[in-house]
Amino acid sequence: MKKVLVIGSGGREHAIVYQLSRSPQVAQIFCAPGNAGIAQLATCVAIPDTDIEQLLRFAQAQQIDLCVVGPEASLAAGIVDAFREAGIPIFGHTKAATQIESSKEFAKQLMARYNIPTAAYRSFDEYEPAIEYVRSRNTYPAVLKYDGLAAGKGVVIAQNQQEADAALRDMLVSEAFGKGKVVIEDYLEGPEFSFMAFVDHHRVYPMPLSQDHKRAYDGDRGPNTGGMGAYTPLPFISAEEEQWALEHILQPVADAMVAEGTPLTGVLYGGLMKTADGIKVIEFNARFGDPETEIVLPLMQTDAYTVFHAIATGSILDNIAWCNEATVGVVMASKGYPGKYDKGAVITGVDDFDGLVLHMGTTVRDGQLLTNGGRVLMCIAHGDTIRKAQQNVYTEIRKINCTNLFYRKDIAHWAL
Ligand code: AMP
Ligand code: GLY
C-alpha cells in the first residue's frame, strides 16, 4: 500500500487527491498545504508549496512512495530536480522543462524551430525598437505579452497605437512587472480550448478536450480571471481535428523538448485556438489547468496512482481510459474577484449538492466552512448531454448558500 504526497492547495489539487483516493493502491495521502475540502480525503501538512527543503524532509521522514505536483511555482522552483536527486519518484517537470510555461520567448522559439503552428511574433527587450515595430506593422489589434510572471496582467490586446504604447511603457520603461522582455505577436481569432496530456519524454497520453471561461461575467464580459468554469466534451472540435492537434502540436512539442535536452515528465497543457487558418497554439502550460482539471481528471478510468507513478518513473502505460460523459463545472467566486474581495464568509449546503464539489479556496474555523480565496468552490455535475449536465449543475448549485459568493450562469454556452 502506497503513501502519496500532493503539492498545492487549489481545486486542481483537490481533483488530484480525489482521484488518488479512489485508487485501491493508495493507503495514505498527504497534501501540502491543502485546503478544507482536501482535508476530508488527505492529511494536510502546513508547508508552503515552494519550500522545497521542508517538503523534501517531510517526504523522506514519511517514506513517501510518490509525490504529485500541482502548481507551476513549485515546478519553477525546482521541486522535481530536488526530489529526483534524493531518489523519490515525483510527477512533474524539471525546472528547465517548466520554461515552456514560465518563458514565453522559450515557448515561441521552440515552436518556430519545430514548425508548430502559432501566431507569428518578435521579441524585444527595449522600448524604442518595440514601439518602432508596432508603428511599422500598423496592424491592430496587436498582442503584447510580458515574458515573465506578471500576476495575470502580462497580456495586452492593444486596439491602437496609443494602447500599445502605454502597455510597452509599463512593461519596458517603468518595468511595472520587473525587468523582462516583451513578445509582440499577431492577433488570432476563434474559439479557444484546452488540450491537456500526460507526457513522458516521447510518450503522449491525451486527456479529453475541455473549455475554460476566462471572463468574470455572463456573456464573456468583464475582467479576465483564472477561469470561471469549464465543460467537456467540445462539440465544435471534431475527432479528426483533435487527432490533428495531437499529431501536429502536442507530439512534436514532446519530441522537441527531448531534442532540446529538457524532456517533459508531467502534464503538457496546450491552450489552443481554432482559427479560420487551422488550430494554433496560444500558450503552453507545464501543469494541469485550473479549473479544467476538476472536470477532466475525475473522468479518468485508469488507476490514478498507476498513471502518475508510471510518468514519474518512466514506465510504459498501455493507454489511459476515459469516460466521455458530458460534464459541466461552475466556479463559485468571492464577490469582487478578480479584484479585491473579503475572506471568511460562511458557506453552507455543500454536502447537499448532488454531484462533486471540489474546493478551490476554503478553510474551516470552529466547525464552519469559510471562503478563503478568490475562487472558492468548483461545482460539477454530469448528464447525458451538455445541456442536461448544465441544467443539473445549475439546479444543484442553488443548494449552496453564502452571502459573499457569485457565479456565472452561462457556463458551456459555447456548446449549446
Ligand atoms: P496567454 O497568457 O498567452 O494565455 O494569454 C491570455 C489570453 O489572451 C488568451 O487566453 C487569449 O484569449 C488572449 N490571447 C493571447 N494571445 C493571443 C493572440 N495571439 N491572439 C488573440 N488573443 C490572444
Ligand atoms: N484555466 C487556465 C489555466 O489553468 O491556465
Side-chain angles (χ1 to χ4, degrees):
M1 291 295 279
K2 308 298 184 189
K3 277 177 158 184
V4 186
L5 170 63
V6 176
I7 311 294
S9 62
R12 167 181 59 200
E13 288 77 16
H14 195 174
I16 294 168
V17 167
Y18 171 74
Q19 204 61 6
L20 283 166
S21 76
R22 299 166 78 185
S23 166
Q25 298 180 72
V26 174
Q28 194 173 13
I29 307 173
F30 295 97
C31 187
N35 65 36
I38 291 172
Q40 295 172 0
L41 301 169
T43 305
C44 292
V45 191
I47 307 175
D49 57 21
T50 51
D51 189 340
I52 291 170
E53 248 174 64
Q54 248 205 95
L55 291 169
L56 183 56
R57 268 204 304 274
F58 177 83
Q60 285 170 323
Q62 289 290 339
Q63 299 188 309
I64 294 293
D65 296 288
L66 173 68
C67 179
V68 180
V69 185
E72 189 232 352
S74 314
L75 299 171
I79 190 168
V80 170
D81 309 70
F83 273 57
R84 286 222 185 119
E85 198 167 313
I88 301 174
I90 183 163
F91 174 90
H93 306 297
T94 60
K95 185 173 176 171
T98 300
Q99 282 184 92
I100 190 132
E101 170 168 2
S102 58
S103 166
K104 298 211 186 272
E105 202 190 14
F106 176 92
K108 292 300 275 190
Q109 279 179 355
L110 190 89
M111 287 187 270
R113 217 174 304 135
Y114 293 88
N115 287 317
I116 292 159
T118 187
Y121 83 106
R122 286 200 34 201
S123 90
F124 297 91
D125 45 22
E126 281 178 53
Y127 166 78
E128 276 303 334
I131 191 66
E132 191 42 50
Y133 175 67
V134 168
R135 271 195 216 113
S136 65
R137 203 172 155 273
N138 199 27
T139 310
Y140 299 96
V143 181
L144 316 176
K145 297 185 176 184
Y146 177 76
D147 190 20
L149 298 178
K153 300 198 175 79
V155 178
V156 173
I157 314 269
Q159 301 298 339
N160 51 47
Q161 193 183 313
Q162 286 75 5
E163 283 181 27
D165 187 61
L168 287 175
R169 281 181 191 279
D170 268 1
M171 293 174 182
L172 293 171
V173 182
S174 58
E175 296 179 354
F177 314 117
K179 200 158 178 52
K181 290 189 178 194
V182 171
V183 168
I184 302 181
E185 67 179 33
D186 289 351
Y187 179 78
L188 303 177
E189 262 183 297
E192 287 181 62
F193 62 101
S194 307
F195 196 168
M196 298 191 282
F198 293 101
V199 181
D200 172 22
H201 292 72
H202 293 289
R203 289 190 284 273
V204 178
Y205 306 93
M207 301 185 214
L209 302 181
S210 57
Q211 193 182 39
D212 187 7
H213 296 60
K214 288 183 199 273
R215 301 298 197 96
Y217 312 131
D218 287 6
D220 297 310
R221 284 175 296 119
N224 260 316
T225 70
M228 296 299 290
Y231 69 94
T232 184
L234 303 185
F236 60 90
I237 303 291
S238 67
E240 290 72 30
E241 288 169 322
E242 183 173 351
Q243 186 61 27
W244 188 93
L246 181 62
E247 284 171 15
H248 293 85
I249 297 174
L250 299 191
Q251 184 66 53
V253 168
D255 297 342
M257 292 294 276
V258 174
E260 296 291 313
T262 51
L264 296 171
T265 49
V267 172
L268 176 63
Y269 168 118
L272 309 183
M273 188 185 271
K274 180 177 168 170
T275 74
D277 191 25
I279 295 174
K280 299 196 178 183
V281 177
I282 295 289
E283 64 161 349
F284 285 117
N285 292 325
R287 51 165 175 85
F288 279 112
D290 196 350
E292 293 95 321
T293 302
E294 287 93 310
I295 55 152
V296 168
L297 200 55
L299 297 175
M300 189 167 74
Q301 289 169 328
T302 308
D303 181 276
Y305 183 86
T306 300
V307 171
F308 288 129
H309 191 263
I311 304 283
T313 56
S315 325
I316 298 175
L317 284 161
D318 290 340
N319 75 333
I320 299 178
W322 299 90
C323 162
N324 61 5
E325 205 175 9
T327 307
V328 176
V330 176
V331 171
M332 299 183 87
S334 295
K335 288 180 182 165
Y337 174 79
K340 269 206 201 136
Y341 56 84
D342 292 329
K343 294 183 183 178
V346 177
I347 311 166
T348 59
V350 171
D351 292 340
D352 301 327
F353 185 95
D354 184 14
L356 179 64
V357 178
L358 295 173
H359 294 223
M360 304 181 89
T362 59
T363 190
V364 167
R365 205 178 309 132
D366 301 328
Q368 283 187 312
L369 184 65
L370 306 176
T371 63
N372 195 40
R375 294 187 297 170
V376 175
L377 297 172
M378 173 76 160
C379 304
I380 301 157
H382 301 291
D384 294 338
T385 61
I386 288 175
R387 187 175 292 282
K388 197 78 192 66
Q390 190 196 48
Q391 282 166 358
N392 289 342
V393 75
Y394 283 118
T395 303
E396 292 300 315
I397 206 168
R398 285 191 225 120
K399 296 177 181 168
I400 300 179
N401 291 304
C402 177
T403 53
N404 201 40
L405 289 179
F406 78 100
Y407 56 88
R408 276 183 61 162
K409 310 285 192 295
D410 65 347
I411 298 303
H413 71 87
W414 274 95
L416 300 174

